[in-house]
Amino acid sequence: MSVEVGTRIAGRYEVTARIAEGGWSSVYRARTPEGETIAVKILRQEYAADREFVERFVREARAAETLEHPHVVRVLESGRDGEIYFIAMEFVDGEDLKRYLRRTGPLDPVDAERIALAVCEALDYAHGLGIVHRDVKPQNILLARDGTVKVADFGIARAQAAVTITHTGTVLGTVHYLSPEQARGAPVDRASDLYALGVVLFEMLTGRLPFEGDSPIAIALKHLHEPPPSARAVNPRVPRRLEGIILKAMAKRPEDRYQTAREMAADLRGETARWEEVLADDEGITRMFAPQGARPRRGLARAAPLAAALLVAAIGGLWAGWQAVNAYLNVPEVEVPDVVGRSLLQAEQIARQRGVTLEVAERAYSATAPQDVVLAQDEPPGKRVKQGRRIGVVVSLGPQLVTVPDVVRQPVGAAQLALETARLRLGALQEGYDDVVKAGFVIRQDPPAGSRVQVDSPVTLVISRGPAQVEVPGLLGRTLSEARRLLEDRGLVIAHVRTVPVADAAPGLIVEQSPAAGALVRPGQTAITVAVSARPGEESAPPQAPVVTAEPQPVPSPSPPPVRLTPAVRPSPAGTPAAPATPAAVPSPGLARRTRVQVVVPEGPAVQEVKIVVIDEKGVRTVYQAPHGPGDRVEQFVSTQGYTIIQVYIDNRLVQEVRP
């Protein structure tokens, strides 16, 4: 099932727009029946096919529903709608921290402290309930227009962590925010969330990430073995206290970090100064950032007088600050070029000529743009920015292609389910006679199985009407249920049933039929009439089993519907070419039909619900649903379009399926 504007999820959330595409999900804006705007996160198809991932996803999503905190995005509901796994959550009107940083650059230390403190409070609340986030990053920190900070995807990252490298082809998690223990594959706890928050705080204050590399593995190794760069060296406006908080949060060993989010929040508020132990001396820094198992070395700097060390640090800080301010003030401004619609190679060349650089922020599928074409940019064309500024762009992955499944010789319902599972949709339904494939099953499909087509492409199916002529089976002495099964195998249905009193026969058996057994008739065009035995005087009593009849009715039309001849391919013996069957008249797509459906309610409960469901080119719909008592007769004239299946249910039990 594809999700688009107007789709209803779980029967109550109407999709109004696509918000974003992520690595494992798509996010949509939706509206509830009460008119409330919410966000709905849909699990991507490749993950929905992984049973282990789905089980963990559902379990952790339900755990996230228990979280109620001002700085946590509230989960309203999670569940499954057909093949779709979804999470409905509150809609935050704003943008995520990553996009905000790309747009504004480094934050003022006061703003960075405020955001980090809000995240600490959310983590402290979740950790207290035993929930570790595992994927703290700017993309999961939402900034509302009123200034509120919200953390998203609590608990869901536990399910995401179940996906292996072989499944996704990438390192688990978001590698730029990966703690050393995550990089090693060791158990993850709340200290890992605080490490990631330290990386986020560094990025907020400097506008860059502490570790970069040519590959995810290279970045992960830096998290394992290299100390982070000084935030104050990158941005001299960073207070010494915040640099100490970053260094303590990013210690290589979990025991050297803040032990709780509450401890880190206390340092951010200035209530405590645990960060000072990191900057106290060189041995403290060496110990905090030595790889696990390495022993810190005592340097000569420890023996130097404290006053000299402070003097050197002060002079160095002043010099670095003057250099940074001077360099910033003297950088010329340039205009942001318009690169949307250009190939990535062309866009990078244009950006270099203008004095800016491009950064691929996201790659997304597009039904209209070829692969490697720029879809969007996060800075508007013509805006004046500092030379060397990074401009984030969204680059097309091209149309998303899927493989067409093989649905030949499957019933229509199973074929439609297979197509929707493959993220395709049912196209036109046509009909043809076939001497081998039974009525109601697929003869041919277009495109053929194995083709690569765009997501949501239609697949046309040709449905068998059975042989061009079939022999009427003998029905005498059989029950209505047995007779229906025999007739359905030949593409025939009972159009009329009457009751006759018979003294020497058990009630409910067929005693007359028309046409007679052995007659050659056309499926779908011949009305089968039967008479059923009843005890004398009980002709009007409710039948023991439901009686369902269907009779095609004429459809008024100014001109006869067009027909075309389509050869039905028959299987051929091995080693010989397939020969087309005798051409059979196939109604064109959209042929209107009208059928009279009659139901006689059987003996049983005093109240039984009768429901008539139609499946045709317009989709699936209920055309009649009402309670009835035994013996009641229900008559409905059903109008349909194209290939049609009419199903009759009594108390939600399918009792008859008719293909007129």
Side-chain angles (χ1 to χ4, degrees):
M1 174 180 175
S2 60
V3 178
E4 52 193 24
V5 174
T7 299
R8 283 191 178 274
I9 307 297
R12 56 183 272 103
Y13 305 125
E14 181 183 357
V15 173
T16 58
R18 184 194 295 266
I19 299 175
E21 285 281 350
W24 60 276
S25 65
S26 303
V27 184
Y28 300 86
R29 185 166 60 241
R31 182 171 51 240
T32 68
E34 296 76 27
E36 179 187 2
T37 298
I38 65 165
V40 179
K41 184 165 288 192
I42 305 293
L43 192 63
R44 295 177 72 93
Q45 186 67 33
E46 56 266 35
Y47 293 110
D50 186 321
R51 180 179 299 177
E52 181 182 353
F53 181 89
V54 167
E55 289 175 355
R56 189 179 291 262
F57 170 84
V58 171
R59 184 168 61 250
E60 297 303 330
R62 287 175 180 166
E65 292 179 39
T66 64
L67 298 179
E68 292 278 351
H69 190 274
H71 295 307
V72 175
V73 174
R74 184 165 51 94
V75 175
L76 308 174
E77 179 187 1
S78 63
R80 176 182 178 181
D81 183 359
E83 297 301 313
I84 290 178
Y85 293 89
F86 70 92
I87 302 173
M89 60 187 72
E90 70 170 305
F91 176 74
V92 179
D93 186 14
E95 62 184 331
D96 65 60
L97 178 58
K98 191 71 170 182
R99 291 180 182 272
Y100 185 75
L101 291 175
R102 289 198 192 106
R103 187 164 56 82
T104 65
L107 303 185
D108 183 86
V110 174
D111 290 333
E113 276 186 37
R114 180 181 64 85
I115 294 171
L117 188 58
V119 176
C120 272
E121 291 175 359
L123 291 175
D124 181 60
Y125 168 74
H127 291 170
L129 297 176
I131 297 177
V132 179
H133 194 291
R134 289 174 171 79
D135 197 20
V136 175
K137 58 184 179 183
Q139 293 90 330
N140 283 333
I141 300 172
L142 307 182
L143 308 179
R145 297 189 188 279
D146 62 2
T148 305
V149 179
K150 298 263 190 178
V151 182
D153 281 0
F154 261 107
I156 311 306
R158 181 192 293 267
Q160 188 179 6
V163 183
T164 63
I165 292 177
T166 55
H167 184 109
T168 63
T170 60
V171 174
L172 301 182
T174 307
V175 71
H176 289 99
Y177 309 90
L178 209 64
S179 67
E181 58 270 21
Q182 283 175 291
R184 287 194 305 272
V188 175
D189 62 10
R190 57 193 183 187
S192 304
D193 284 350
L194 301 182
Y195 181 94
L197 180 54
V199 177
V200 172
L201 184 55
F202 182 98
E203 186 177 4
M204 285 194 289
L205 291 167
T206 65
R208 50 166 281 191
L209 290 158
F211 298 122
E212 296 279 11
D214 296 331
S215 69
I217 298 299
I219 299 170
L221 289 174
K222 289 184 178 181
H223 280 289
L224 278 169
H225 301 296
E226 293 187 12
S230 166
R232 286 165 57 79
V234 179
N235 180 4
R237 295 190 305 137
V238 175
R240 184 168 179 269
R241 179 175 62 87
L242 289 184
E243 176 158 66
I245 291 173
I246 292 171
L247 293 175
K248 184 168 179 62
M250 292 183 64
K252 299 298 180 189
R253 299 185 302 179
E255 58 267 29
D256 290 332
R257 300 175 205 151
Y258 293 103
Q259 294 307 292
T260 65
R262 187 169 300 179
E263 284 187 1
M264 187 170 177
D267 265 14
L268 286 166
R269 294 192 192 96
E271 298 169 355
T272 57
R274 293 181 178 87
W275 58 269
E276 288 183 342
E277 65 186 62
V278 185
L279 302 180
D281 52 40
D282 284 352
E283 182 182 350
I285 295 177
T286 303
R287 176 178 59 80
M288 299 288 269
F289 298 105
Q292 190 165 356
R295 300 187 62 181
R297 297 185 306 172
R298 297 177 179 269
L300 295 177
R302 183 182 175 114
L306 181 60
L310 292 174
L311 179 61
V312 171
I315 294 173
L318 288 172
W319 173 257
W322 181 86
Q323 290 279 61
V325 172
N326 184 59
Y328 180 81
L329 293 175
N330 286 286
V331 172
E333 288 189 341
V334 295
E335 279 192 3
V336 175
D338 184 359
V339 296
V340 173
R342 305 273 189 174
S343 71
L344 182 58
L345 182 60
Q346 292 175 328
E348 288 173 337
Q349 292 173 344
I350 294 171
R352 280 196 296 270
Q353 293 170 359
R354 293 288 185 92
V356 295
T357 59
L358 294 188
E359 179 184 61
V360 178
E362 185 180 346
R363 291 184 180 269
Y365 290 107
S366 170
T368 56
Q371 187 173 357
D372 288 334
V373 167
V374 177
L375 299 174
Q377 59 189 77
D378 63 5
E379 295 288 359
K383 180 181 177 180
R384 305 288 296 182
V385 298
K386 294 291 185 182
Q387 188 175 17
R389 176 72 174 271
R390 290 187 179 186
I391 308 299
V393 293
V394 179
V395 178
S396 172
L397 290 169
Q400 189 171 7
L401 301 181
V402 294
T403 301
V404 179
D406 186 358
V407 297
V408 172
R409 299 209 173 195
Q410 292 189 26
V412 179
Q416 182 173 7
L417 178 61
L419 293 176
E420 291 178 351
T421 301
R423 304 176 71 186
L424 300 170
R425 58 186 171 87
L426 189 61
L429 290 177
Q430 303 168 13
E431 294 178 304
Y433 294 110
D434 191 279
D435 291 339
V436 177
V437 181
K438 64 187 295 187
F441 284 65
V442 178
I443 305 172
R444 290 186 305 283
Q445 63 181 85
D446 183 29
S451 304
R452 297 282 290 172
V453 299
Q454 289 189 34
V455 166
D456 201 39
S457 295
V459 178
T460 298
L461 302 182
V462 180
I463 312 301
S464 173
R465 292 178 65 91
Q469 281 192 322
V470 297
E471 184 178 302
V472 177
L475 306 177
L476 300 184
R478 300 182 182 275
T479 65
L480 274 176
S481 297
E482 292 172 337
R484 273 199 293 263
R485 285 194 294 270
L486 281 173
L487 294 171
E488 283 176 358
D489 289 342
R490 293 162 173 79
L492 302 172
V493 295
I494 296 175
H496 302 283
V497 176
R498 59 189 178 88
T499 304
V500 296
V502 179
D504 57 350
L509 299 181
I510 295 175
V511 293
E512 296 177 15
Q513 72 174 85
S514 177
L520 294 176
V521 299
R522 280 190 175 275
Q525 299 180 15
T526 303
I528 306 295
T529 301
V530 297
V532 179
S533 62
R535 291 188 179 93
E538 296 183 1
E539 295 91 335
S540 60
Q544 294 179 347
V547 176
V548 179
T549 60
E551 184 178 11
Q553 302 291 302
V555 179
S557 176
S559 59
V563 299
R564 58 189 178 84
L565 299 181
T566 301
V569 178
R570 296 174 179 165
S572 59
T576 62
T582 304
V586 179
S588 64
L591 178 65
R593 304 176 188 272
R594 193 163 185 263
T595 307
R596 182 175 68 178
V597 179
Q598 292 181 307
V599 183
V600 181
V601 181
E603 61 183 25
V607 177
Q608 302 176 52
E609 184 182 67
V610 177
K611 181 167 66 174
I612 302 176
V613 176
V614 168
I615 305 169
D616 65 356
E617 288 184 0
K618 298 178 182 178
V620 180
R621 60 194 184 278
T622 299
V623 297
Y624 181 83
Q625 185 171 3
H628 288 276
D632 285 0
R633 293 178 178 269
V634 178
E635 181 178 76
Q636 286 290 306
F637 288 87
V638 179
S639 297
T640 58
Q641 199 78 20
Y643 182 78
T644 297
I645 298 175
I646 301 173
Q647 297 175 329
V648 177
Y649 294 83
I650 294 182
D651 283 344
N652 289 322
R653 179 174 61 89
L654 178 63
V655 298
Q656 179 70 33
E657 189 168 270
V658 178
R659 293 178 172 84

